[in-house]
Amino acid sequence: MRIRCELVIFGGSAGSLQVLINILPQIKLPIPFAIVIVVHRKNSYDTVLEDLIALKTLIPMEYVEDKSKLQPGVLYIAPSDYHMLFEDKNNIALDGSEKVNYSRPSIDVSFESAAFVFREQLVGILLSGANADGTFGLQMIQEKGGITIVQKPETAEVSYMPQFAVLNANPDFIFNEEEIVTFLNSNI
Amino acid sequence: MIEELELETLINEVYEHYGFDFGNYSKASLKRRVDRLYQMDGFSHFHEFLHRIQTDEKYYKRMIEEITVNVTEMFRDPVFYSVLRNEIIPFLAPKPFIRIWHAGCSTGEEVFSMAILLKELGLLHKSLLYATDINASVLETAKKGIFPLRMMKQYSENYLASGGTEDFSSYYSANFNIVKFNPELSEKMVFSQHNLVSDTSFNEFDLILCRNVLIYFNNDLQSRAIKLFDDSLSVLGFLALGSKETIKYTQGDSKFVQLRKEKIWRKIQ
């Protein structure tokens, strides 16, 4: 079964970068949906994370600024020290308000905003990490009709975040890396 | 959680009752701020919330204050401050008088950072720092120059990373859990309420800082603000925005050139 999806959004923290580096190059091009990555990152002015991920994948990437356009087939990474929101399906908006779950960017904040804008045309994927960020966001995605996927906690370098989501967000799928890739390549 | 239609209703009602127009704010962040207030104040039905805003002017004021984001730091983004210190301010140094506007100054941390910078460059005595915000209560905090002691470790690190060479703690005196910045720093500051959405230009400046304010506006309102800054800048004056803000989606951007990768633009015509 193929689902119509306009955005795939990844959330992750400690231990998630390696998973992304493994998954992203295996996604078949051209990609019919936009990809957004929200990972907890140090508050810094630089773009080391963007540069690293750009090196590892052929997916076109755009550096996110306030009111950047969101386009299918393109990869976006939430910048440090801002929450990343969706003004509508084609426009990103940034927000500098209080940290959520000790984090800015916060996964919950982006997942919730995406859920309201993309509704059932959204897939949210939560990866390895060490805090509870992301679970509430997955609940929001589910409530609005989107699909929720959590990395199998025993395959995560840090299992707390996916485990917390499995226990509290009743995700549609609990996948290892390979299954995530297969799902993205064959079901969307 | 407020639904999209409810947000529209709220925007319209606030405009009709109080004349304040949130219509050109970024919907995504406005929704978050309204949700936050709604939950914080324990409302369970949107119509109760709306009724309270319509009938209780004090509560309306609270709403305005809570909706505006007041997250700020001293020497936030140290690289930005090192560019100010080493490239922008020295350019302004020969002027007989330096006028700077902090638009959306919140609780004043950036204004005090600027005063420290100017003092160290020997320019504070001939500078004027205008600091404005839409929110009257944050301006009261800013005027006092009193900040929480627990923030000083971070601010001191930012200060050193931005190229500061003095002992940061020499700029304030600590008392229990607060610090008060030396009064000489605030001598050249003028605080006043100003709304970027509806107010006009009030002076001409050599440098305008408006960091992480425009992100809350949509493109139309951003264009209005950039026009206001254009009207308020001398030719060859500088405009500084937040680290992920840009003027490229706004009208009037052709009058400015960007300084390399920094979020600093120079008015060229």
Side-chain angles (χ1 to χ4, degrees):
Chain A
M1 180 201 74
R2 281 189 177 261
I3 53 159
R4 256 198 85 208
C5 163
E6 295 186 63
L7 175 67
V8 171
I9 184 165
F10 287 94
S13 188
S16 65
L17 186 57
Q18 192 56 49
V19 183
L20 290 164
I21 287 172
N22 296 343
I23 288 177
L24 293 172
Q26 298 185 62
I27 303 178
K28 272 190 241 149
L29 301 176
I31 302 173
F33 46 84
I35 298 179
V36 166
I37 293 172
V38 184
V39 287
H40 294 161
R41 53 194 300 189
K42 263 190 84 169
N43 164 15
S44 72
Y45 212 50
D46 61 39
T47 54
V48 174
L49 180 67
E50 282 83 351
D51 298 340
L52 175 70
I53 288 185
L55 265 178
K56 301 283 182 182
T57 166
L58 293 173
I59 306 170
M61 184 171 83
E62 275 181 33
Y63 290 81
V64 172
E65 290 186 322
D66 181 46
K67 306 295 182 292
S68 286
K69 301 285 168 223
L70 190 74
Q71 293 171 315
V74 180
L75 172 65
Y76 304 83
I77 301 177
S80 64
D81 212 24
Y82 290 91
H83 294 303
M84 183 168 157
L85 308 176
F86 302 88
E87 189 69 7
D88 52 47
K89 285 185 175 179
N90 307 310
N91 291 286
I92 291 165
L94 297 180
D95 176 314
S97 61
E98 297 81 359
K99 291 182 177 180
V100 173
N101 303 318
Y102 313 100
S103 310
R104 188 173 55 226
S106 144
I107 301 165
D108 276 345
V109 168
S110 292
F111 277 16
E112 183 189 356
S113 178
F116 271 84
V117 168
F118 289 90
R119 296 184 175 262
E120 65 278 4
Q121 286 165 5
L122 174 67
V123 174
I125 306 177
L126 191 67
L127 306 174
S128 171
N131 88 7
D133 200 15
T135 291
F136 169 76
L138 287 176
Q139 290 166 346
M140 286 292 116
I141 292 175
Q142 203 157 50
E143 192 182 306
K144 298 291 169 193
I147 288 176
T148 56
I149 299 173
V150 173
Q151 183 183 3
K152 208 173 262 178
E154 53 271 34
T155 71
E157 192 182 315
V158 182
S159 62
Y160 186 88
M161 201 155 84
Q163 187 67 54
F164 193 81
V166 167
L167 293 174
N168 297 289
N170 187 27
D172 298 311
F173 302 103
I174 301 167
F175 282 163
N176 62 26
E177 284 177 17
E178 209 176 303
E179 290 164 328
I180 294 173
V181 172
T182 308
F183 180 87
L184 294 179
N185 283 336
S186 0
N187 294 77
I188 306 182
Chain B
M1 221 78 68
I2 305 271
E3 289 299 323
E4 200 176 336
L5 263 176
E6 294 171 337
L7 187 65
E8 293 296 335
T9 307
L10 177 70
I11 292 170
N12 290 335
E13 289 298 317
V14 165
Y15 184 65
E16 275 184 24
H17 269 76
Y18 299 102
F20 193 102
D21 191 0
F22 280 112
N24 285 320
Y25 274 56
S26 157
K27 293 285 181 299
S29 49
L30 183 61
K31 180 180 179 309
R32 283 199 68 222
R33 299 310 284 177
V34 173
D35 276 340
R36 174 177 165 275
L37 179 67
Y38 184 86
Q39 282 169 6
M40 198 160 58
D41 291 349
F43 288 99
S44 46
H45 293 288
F46 175 72
H47 62 86
E48 286 169 21
F49 179 57
L50 188 66
H51 183 72
R52 182 82 189 271
I53 291 165
Q54 287 167 328
T55 54
D56 180 348
E57 192 165 344
K58 267 197 188 140
Y59 189 77
Y60 161 72
K61 282 196 179 135
R62 169 176 166 74
M63 183 194 77
I64 298 287
E65 290 178 2
E66 288 299 331
I67 278 180
T68 53
V69 172
N70 294 301
V71 175
T72 179
E73 269 176 39
M74 288 187 80
F75 294 97
R76 186 179 194 174
D77 306 323
V79 177
F80 168 77
Y81 278 92
S82 76
V83 173
L84 278 188
R85 180 188 289 270
N86 298 316
E87 298 178 48
I88 307 298
I89 304 293
F91 185 84
L92 304 177
K95 290 179 174 273
F97 211 61
I98 302 171
R99 286 193 178 86
I100 298 175
W101 178 17
H102 292 264
C105 68
S106 187
T107 39
E109 281 80 346
E110 295 209 339
V111 195
F112 279 87
S113 307
M114 181 64 85
I116 288 171
L117 223 165
L118 291 165
K119 184 171 160 37
E120 293 184 0
L121 295 171
L123 300 168
L124 185 58
H125 67 283
K126 62 167 182 175
S127 302
L128 254 189
L129 304 174
Y130 283 80
T132 63
D133 204 279
I134 188 181
N135 182 338
S137 74
V138 293
L139 288 171
E140 286 309 311
T141 306
K143 273 181 206 167
K144 292 186 186 123
I146 293 176
F147 302 110
L149 177 63
R150 65 187 152 80
M151 301 307 297
M152 291 306 131
K153 183 172 172 290
Q154 174 73 52
Y155 293 175
S156 171
E157 286 169 10
N158 287 357
Y159 165 76
L160 291 173
S162 78
T165 51
E166 303 293 314
D167 174 5
F168 188 66
S169 65
S170 69
Y171 289 112
Y172 59 78
S173 30
N175 194 353
F176 298 105
N177 53 356
I178 57 165
V179 306
K180 180 162 174 47
F181 275 77
N182 301 344
E184 59 166 342
L185 292 174
S186 42
E187 265 167 25
K188 299 293 183 179
M189 298 177 188
V190 179
F191 293 94
S192 80
Q193 212 172 351
H194 183 275
N195 182 354
L196 293 172
V197 179
S198 53
D199 291 342
T200 53
S201 174
F202 58 94
N203 208 331
E204 188 173 282
F205 297 95
D206 307 300
L207 168 62
I208 298 176
L209 298 97
C210 182
R211 305 185 67 218
N212 299 313
V213 176
L214 299 186
I215 47 176
Y216 303 109
F217 297 167
N218 72 10
N219 287 335
D220 289 344
L221 197 49
Q222 287 186 352
S223 295
R224 184 197 192 273
I226 296 298
K227 166 86 169 53
L228 174 59
F229 296 150
D230 180 20
D231 292 343
S232 311
L233 267 181
S234 54
V235 176
L236 300 181
F238 296 95
L239 171 64
L241 304 179
S243 68
K244 295 297 169 194
E245 292 180 310
T246 176
I247 64 170
K248 74 180 175 203
Y249 303 117
T250 57
Q251 287 160 18
D253 66 318
S254 59
K255 287 182 154 180
F256 293 89
V257 284
Q258 190 171 1
L259 195 87
R260 301 192 312 275
K261 270 173 65 191
E262 305 308 328
K263 296 306 185 149
I264 299 174
W265 286 262
R266 192 162 201 196
K267 180 174 165 177
I268 49 164
Q269 50 170 294

